[in-house]
Amino acid sequence: MSGNIQLLSDTLERARSENRAALIAYLPAGFPTVDGGIDAVKAVVAGGADVVEVGLPHSDPVLDGPVIQTADDIALRGGVKIADVMRTVREAHAATGAPVLVMTYWNPIDRYGVERFTAELAEAGGAGCILPDLPVQESALWREHAEKHGLATVFVVAPSSKDERLATITAAGSGFVYAASLMGVTGTRESVGAQAQDLVRRTRATTELPVCVGLGVSNAVQAKEVAAFADGVIVGSAFVQRMLDAPDAAAGLEAVRALAGELARGVRRGGDGAGAA
């Protein structure tokens, strides 16, 4: 069975044709429970998310901040397994029709088996994988199986990436490019926007793939700012924080649905600059 890379591409192209950025939501599988995580994905799509990234919880998520680390810990203590991640993808995609990717560190895939993982992800209706710690030069085996099964391989670029390195990364990727700006932790908002915008500009010079920005966006104003220069706006910690803060599961679902609605309105207010270089 072939995965849904084409659905991902079509969804991003539809957003571009509507002169806006796509809203991409991240939620960890198994948080707060497996069923609760599936319901959360449904809620963010109902609120307006175009694409969903399902996180595969990891015991040492070195690239994630404390909010997602907390959610991962809850999921792992609940006994989440790769089978539960696949179930989350399957049920979320079947219920929403939205493209669903898995975001994961490389070690779990390596241990599980690349052929097994890609075959199961495609069978579940997955659109691809975001692999933040897989070096491009070591990715040939993964890309071979991902392509065979119709899955996107999304690599991450950062402001520190040199132009030559950007070209190498984007040439190997598919689906979209994840532009991660880590400057949001310490920089001012104005300088963060400039850093991310420059990264998008430099990345676009190397590829025709959409460039989507993960920037610590947490509200509609920030979503609008990023939508003015990126093809997609990626939001994760803000959704997870809403669920952590909620008094119960029902309130958590309503909170993430409402946040998705606010962010969706933000990316649609990008004006003529949305998606522009």
Side-chain angles (χ1 to χ4, degrees):
M1 181 174 179
S2 182
N4 273 313
I5 185 173
Q6 190 60 52
L7 175 63
L8 174 64
S9 298
D10 291 347
T11 301
L12 294 170
E13 178 55 37
R14 184 173 69 250
R16 183 193 291 265
S17 73
E18 294 171 359
N19 197 36
R20 65 178 179 87
L23 175 60
I24 303 175
Y26 167 93
L27 289 163
F31 168 72
T33 62
V34 176
D35 287 341
I38 294 168
D39 288 341
V41 174
K42 295 176 185 177
V44 296
V45 175
D50 299 289
V51 179
V52 179
E53 302 172 7
V54 171
L56 195 162
H58 194 274
S59 57
D60 186 26
V62 294
L63 300 178
D64 293 310
V67 171
I68 291 173
Q69 287 183 22
T70 298
D72 277 6
D73 185 57
I74 291 169
L76 291 167
R77 283 191 279 114
V80 70
K81 301 287 191 289
I82 287 180
D84 299 311
V85 177
M86 297 298 179
R87 180 186 155 212
T88 300
V89 172
R90 179 181 296 105
E91 295 191 13
H93 171 64
T96 66
V100 182
L101 301 101
V102 170
M103 187 166 188
T104 178
Y105 296 96
W106 178 246
N107 181 256
I109 294 178
D110 192 38
R111 291 174 59 188
Y112 197 73
V114 175
E115 169 61 24
R116 180 184 178 194
F117 189 95
T118 51
E120 290 184 8
L121 183 56
E123 189 276 328
C129 240
I130 301 164
L131 302 160
D133 67 338
L134 177 63
V136 171
Q137 61 270 27
E138 298 174 19
S139 68
L141 179 64
W142 164 267
R143 287 187 286 126
E144 174 191 341
H145 288 289
E147 184 174 357
K148 180 172 75 171
H149 289 290
L151 299 169
T153 297
V154 179
F155 288 115
V156 179
V157 298
S160 58
S161 302
K162 304 298 184 187
D163 290 351
E164 183 178 355
R165 178 68 176 162
L166 286 176
T168 300
I169 293 171
T170 59
S174 56
F176 65 92
V177 182
Y178 189 124
S181 176
L182 304 179
M183 308 304 166
V185 175
T186 56
T188 66
R189 188 159 158 252
E190 289 77 18
S191 67
V192 169
Q195 295 264 2
Q197 189 166 2
D198 181 63
L199 176 59
V200 171
R201 178 190 59 77
R202 293 194 298 118
T203 303
R204 281 219 181 100
T206 71
T207 184
E208 295 297 317
L209 290 173
V211 183
C212 303
V213 174
L215 192 66
V217 173
S218 60
N219 59 53
V221 173
Q222 293 168 326
K224 179 182 179 181
E225 180 183 4
V226 176
F229 58 80
D231 298 298
V233 179
I234 302 168
V235 181
S237 294
F239 285 117
V240 175
Q241 189 68 61
R242 292 282 181 107
M243 294 179 69
L244 288 169
D245 290 345
D248 56 51
L253 295 177
E254 176 54 31
V256 296
R257 187 201 63 75
L259 177 59
E262 295 166 18
L263 294 165
R265 288 189 291 276
V267 300
R268 284 166 173 78
R269 286 199 298 266
D272 292 340

